[in-house]
Amino acid sequence: MGTGNDLAAATLETLPITVAVIDGDGEILSTNRAWREFGPDDAADHVGVDYLATADVDDEHARRAVEGLEAVVEGERETFAMEYPCHSPDEKRWFLMRANRFTVDGAVRVSILHLEITERKLAEIAVEETAAELREEHEALEHVLDRIDGLLREVTDAAVGAATREEIERRVCETLVGTDPYVLAWIGRLDATNRRLSPREWAADGDAALEDDELVLGTDETHPAVRALADGGVQVIQDLEAFDDAERWWPAGAGDSFRSVAAVPLTYGDVTYGVLTLFATDADVFGERELLVLDSLAGTIATAMNALEARRMLTTDSVVELEITVEDPSQFVAALAVALETALSYRGLTYAEDGTPLAFFQADRAVEAVPPAAEIDGVSDVTVLSTYDDSALLEVAIDDAVVTGLSEHGAAIRRFDAATAGNESAQTAAREVGVDLTVDLPTAQSARSVYDLLDRTYDGVELVSYHETDQPPQTPQDVVARLESSLTDRQLTALRKAYFADYFEWPRNVSGDDLAQSMDISRSTFHQHLRAAQRKLLDELFDSA
């Protein structure tokens, strides 16, 4: 027991908090080193002093402490805690006092500790000061909220209640112009074929006039609407009088009608539907709070447009065909053609069990060996599935983000070929290898987004043709969609590999063993998957006839 008491006493001495123990009469029985060193009379242990009697009852905090301690001593409560200031001439300090009642051999004892909490209190004060500043900012924000009261609701109603995209654009512009201090609003769309941006719908109050010229991406970068589309973020001119190119875009004297301009891209996900350009009567109107409101409005408008497009996609009988050339040696099809010294013709696409895209390409010469996939960006593996006298079929495992992006936009790849100028071999014209890409897309917006994706990723991207055409009542995509819902991943992969490798031709240039090996399965398992897929394909064919 003595050893335990000695250990407890020694431990108490080392604590960085002041500790004292009093008896039922308030007399101090013991203190620790921190207690003795805290007061002005160093080394005084205060043992025998009536702790309760020494308190300054004229001090509010001391009086409260005495009342709490007396309640603990009398057994009215087991614990008591309070925070109090104890400032010195040199610094401000705060402490936490905590008292706990216990007994020793039936005698009442109360432990009293004081813990300095100055850092925490200073942090709380800083938070309170910050909160006060925020309250002031909130009060300053009220005039903005008063001005735009109902604007979000009105624009939302206009966007959601419209039946067509044109109606959304018209009603939104009219609603915005009806709100002070806006005097002109227009929503522009970008023509993907010539990269020109022009207002489609607009509304104006008074003499405010539209821009003098049509806008072109890539050349008219000083215009905020063009910058907004190019950069994907809000662009602002706070004062036209200080804007050097103002007279280039707006008629002389336009500053009499409006002084500041903001352009906000209308973006849903990675699809951009256009740009909202808004004009205000005064300079410096588009502050941080105003732009937050406009950004929210733009999101609402783009969401409504996306919903309309989604509904139209379910009922439309048209498809957008986009034909693009890419002359960038870093593009994986071009790089593969150069590495193999051959032109490549796209045959089709499937997916491995882990989701990796597997593309099939026909080489225009017999290929015996393939380069290491690590040498070609965007390619994780290349396999020769079958060889012919003057050609070969390649299976290419792809980790290229563009292929994934095409899939996310609903693109059906029709052509993905690599050729050289004048049909020369890639060996003699490596730098001239170009990639011809043709895809079918569900909407004009998805076509625009696909073009932007390619343009951002590669150099030498050129739009060759853009066509909106009617599609038949039942398309190959419809058949594939139904098949994919009934086939397992392995069955679909086996069927596609067999087809692209000309397994169904006679004589065969590839065996079931080769195809099974490419899927890392046994020959019998491959044929089980293939027969099951063939049966389901025939069911689809004859049941739909």
Side-chain angles (χ1 to χ4, degrees):
M1 292 295 294
T3 302
N5 291 335
D6 292 343
L7 178 60
T11 301
L12 194 65
E13 284 291 289
T14 63
L15 291 179
I17 56 178
T18 62
V19 179
V21 177
I22 64 175
D23 61 15
D25 296 323
E27 182 180 318
I28 296 176
L29 300 179
S30 66
T31 60
N32 69 345
R33 181 190 303 168
W35 179 287
R36 296 191 294 274
E37 294 177 350
F38 181 78
D41 48 344
D42 292 346
D45 58 15
H46 303 105
V47 172
V49 174
D50 187 340
Y51 183 72
L52 300 180
T54 60
D56 182 3
V57 294
D58 293 330
D59 180 82
E60 175 187 354
H61 301 290
R63 185 170 59 253
R64 181 181 166 206
V66 169
E67 292 174 353
L69 288 173
E70 288 177 343
V72 172
V73 170
E74 297 298 328
E76 296 176 5
R77 54 193 305 174
E78 291 297 315
T79 64
F80 171 73
M82 64 172 284
E83 297 177 3
Y84 64 94
C86 185
H87 306 319
S88 70
D90 301 325
E91 62 178 336
K92 291 184 178 295
R93 298 180 301 182
W94 286 264
F95 290 84
L96 167 68
M97 185 189 80
R98 184 175 183 87
N100 292 276
R101 189 176 192 273
F102 64 100
T103 59
V104 177
D105 298 329
V108 173
R109 301 287 185 266
V110 176
S111 64
I112 304 170
L113 64 86
H114 296 263
L115 174 66
E116 186 172 359
I117 57 171
T118 300
E119 289 187 5
R120 196 201 79 195
K121 292 298 291 186
L122 290 175
E124 291 176 354
I125 291 173
V127 170
E128 291 175 358
E129 291 175 348
T130 301
E133 293 175 359
L134 291 175
R135 285 193 295 271
E136 292 178 1
E137 290 185 6
H138 178 74
E139 293 172 358
L141 181 61
E142 287 184 352
H143 79 279
V144 176
L145 297 178
D146 290 340
R147 183 179 59 77
I148 65 170
D149 181 33
L151 180 60
L152 283 168
R153 176 181 54 79
E154 291 175 6
V155 171
T156 300
D157 291 345
V160 175
T164 64
R165 181 174 171 183
E166 290 75 13
E167 186 181 353
I168 290 177
E169 294 169 343
R170 183 177 64 257
R171 291 180 59 180
V172 165
C173 289
E174 291 172 350
T175 300
L176 288 171
V177 169
T179 304
D180 182 69
Y182 306 140
V183 292
L184 173 64
W186 61 261
I187 292 179
R189 303 186 201 176
L190 183 67
D191 188 332
T193 58
N194 57 27
R195 308 287 285 169
R196 293 184 180 273
L197 172 67
S198 57
R200 296 296 296 266
E201 297 289 342
W202 65 87
D205 181 21
D207 298 328
L210 291 172
E211 286 78 347
D212 280 343
D213 298 320
E214 195 173 37
L215 305 174
V216 181
L217 259 66
T219 59
D220 295 332
E221 297 298 332
T222 60
H223 194 287
V226 175
R227 295 205 313 272
L229 282 181
D231 299 342
V234 179
Q235 300 293 329
V236 177
I237 299 174
Q238 294 289 12
D239 190 353
L240 284 177
E241 291 185 357
F243 182 59
D244 293 338
D245 289 332
E247 293 185 359
R248 179 180 177 187
W249 306 120
W250 295 284
D256 297 335
S257 302
F258 49 82
R259 288 280 301 278
S260 53
V261 185
V264 190
L266 304 177
T267 303
Y268 181 88
D270 59 355
V271 178
T272 300
Y273 290 94
V275 59
L276 167 65
T277 308
L278 195 59
F279 302 77
T281 53
D282 302 321
D284 300 315
V285 164
F286 298 103
E288 182 178 354
R289 300 182 185 95
E290 191 83 3
L291 293 178
L292 287 174
V293 173
L294 292 181
D295 189 56
S296 177
L297 291 177
T300 299
I301 297 166
T303 300
M305 290 179 174
N306 179 264
L308 281 179
E309 287 294 333
R311 291 199 297 268
R312 192 181 74 84
M313 287 169 58
L314 296 175
T315 58
T316 186
D317 292 327
S318 65
V319 65
V320 177
E321 181 186 83
L322 203 63
E323 185 178 350
I324 294 172
T325 61
V326 180
E327 294 187 0
D328 187 331
S330 70
Q331 206 286 324
F332 79 90
V333 182
L336 183 60
V338 171
L340 294 173
E341 301 180 2
T342 179
L344 297 175
S345 300
Y346 175 76
R347 293 290 305 275
L349 182 73
T350 188
Y351 292 88
E353 190 172 8
D354 62 358
T356 300
L358 301 175
F360 298 89
F361 292 93
Q362 193 84 31
D364 69 352
R365 71 174 184 85
V367 176
E368 299 296 337
V370 296
E375 297 180 0
I376 303 173
D377 290 338
V379 173
S380 59
D381 192 23
V382 181
T383 304
V384 179
L385 281 184
S386 60
T387 57
Y388 308 87
D389 292 338
D390 57 356
S391 63
L393 180 68
L394 309 177
E395 178 186 279
V396 182
I398 302 170
D399 60 8
D400 184 73
V402 170
V403 172
T404 303
L406 292 174
S407 175
E408 291 174 349
H409 284 86
I413 301 175
R414 299 298 174 208
R415 189 181 182 196
F416 211 167
D417 302 343
T420 59
N423 293 323
E424 299 175 13
S425 71
Q427 183 179 18
T428 59
R431 293 185 179 275
E432 299 181 16
V433 170
V435 174
D436 297 319
L437 173 64
T438 302
V439 293
D440 289 344
L441 293 148
T443 68
Q445 281 66 45
S446 57
R448 160 68 197 283
S449 296
V450 163
Y451 180 86
D452 286 345
L453 171 65
L454 295 169
D455 193 39
R456 290 193 305 269
T457 307
Y458 303 120
D459 295 329
V461 175
E462 180 182 353
L463 179 64
V464 177
S465 66
Y466 175 99
H467 298 292
E468 292 190 23
T469 58
D470 291 336
Q471 59 182 355
Q474 178 167 286
T475 67
Q477 291 92 332
D478 298 328
V479 177
V480 170
R482 287 197 296 271
L483 276 173
E484 288 181 344
S485 66
S486 61
L487 296 175
T488 66
D489 291 339
R490 285 294 183 95
Q491 290 169 357
L492 184 59
T493 300
L495 184 63
R496 281 178 167 163
K497 284 201 175 194
Y499 174 76
F500 294 135
D502 293 332
Y503 177 79
F504 301 111
E505 299 293 333
W506 190 261
R508 292 172 177 163
N509 285 299
V510 63
S511 68
D513 288 333
D514 295 331
L515 295 177
Q517 185 177 0
S518 73
M519 294 180 62
D520 196 25
I521 57 178
S522 67
R523 181 175 182 275
S524 61
T525 302
F526 169 78
H527 282 290
Q528 289 176 9
H529 291 319
L530 184 60
R531 291 193 184 97
Q534 287 175 298
R535 178 179 55 79
K536 293 178 181 180
L537 175 62
L538 293 173
D539 287 342
E540 176 65 34
L541 173 65
F542 292 119
D543 288 346
S544 302

